[in-house]
Amino acid sequence: MPVFLLVLALAVFAQGTSEFMLSGLVPGIAADLSVSTGSAASLTSAYALGMVCGAPPMAALSARWPRRRALALFLSVFVAVHVVGALTTSFPLLFATRVAAAVANAGFLAVAMSVATALAAPERQTRATAVLLSGVTLSIVAGVPGGALLGTWAGWRAVFVAVALLCLPALALVLRCAPAGAGAGAGAGSGVPVARELEALASPPVRQALLLAAAVNGATFAAFAYLAVIATESAGLPGGAVPAVLAAFGAGAFAGVLVAGRTGDGRLGRGLVLALLALPAGWAAVALAGGRPVPLFLLAVLLGGLSFGAGSALVGRVMRVASPRAPALSGAFATVALNSGAVAGPLLAGLVTGATGDARDAAWVSTALASAAALPAVALRRRDGRRARAGADA
């Protein structure tokens, strides 16, 4: 596995920390900038929407650039807006920096996914994307809890500065170590115009892979957004135990990504389908048994592993079916699918829990979304099996 993938994973770790860190910084931001808690919390939605809207145009814009230039530019912008965010006393400007950071993150991740698959042999592309996405899971395990502790000790501005500083080694290594031939974009090295790459979205396998990835990620973040509330209000844990619950989920997620990277091949294999079938049952168990501390901790580890393992494998599938026709934009497709789920899942969970008043009902939303991925996956695997047998008979 190319060492440069670890450089990309370091940058993704910093960016993942930035994406998820606000959950522990909202009270401090609200008090410091004299805004409501709801307004401060909207910074999370701003980042998620920036990720969804930013990936396709940023990937298309950078399609003709050398990959080193694209990665360095997106990472430089990401660092700069975090410095501005740390210094500003204006909430509207802070809001704008979160959107800009998300757009830069989306562009970087889209390009990085394309580079990762270009650097790896076809049979190792799922492992390459898993190494890249391990940065996200590590940010949940270490970055977010560490950011919360730093914010408590030194204030939310220090966390923004820390994220910017964390990106600097990755930026230096990108400028120094990015392979010169790490895949130019569409039109530059692939010979495929951007408009032609967008036609890949008309392919049924690409659309199916994107919908599966979005549904699984929607299920993941519908419940993850309410995990802290479930821990304190339903399971009766003290607030100090919340980082441990989140870390348990993150540890499971990290393990799941590692397993997916070693076993996945971009196909709807038996292991992936079994993981998808297990997810609805797991989320239902959270809804039913999440009110007790021990089951909640165990389920956090299990579902972190299943959710991120299946999600990583589905990203590998997106890259496998989309890369031949969309070598520059396939990473953008995957980024949009993941973040569409990350936006839609919590929104649906918010509607349901707002109506019922029970945070555990977010897990029922996750159950429904996970089922929406599992059932089509079973049907697709059976169809592929029938085609394979028909081909063998012929």
Side-chain angles (χ1 to χ4, degrees), residues 25-45:
L25 304 180
V26 166
I29 292 173
D32 189 28
L33 299 183
S34 301
V35 298
S36 68
T37 300
S39 295
S42 70
L43 295 172
T44 301
S45 299

Side-chain angles (χ1 to χ4, degrees), residues 340-354:
S340 295
V343 171
L347 287 177
L348 292 173
L351 292 174
V352 171
T353 57

Side-chain angles (χ1 to χ4, degrees), residues 47-77:
Y47 200 98
L49 290 174
M51 287 286 288
V52 172
C53 299
M58 290 301 100
L61 177 66
S62 63
R64 295 181 181 274
W65 300 347
R67 301 294 84 187
R68 179 183 298 175
R69 180 194 302 172
L71 292 170
L73 180 59
F74 287 133
L75 201 51
S76 297
V77 171

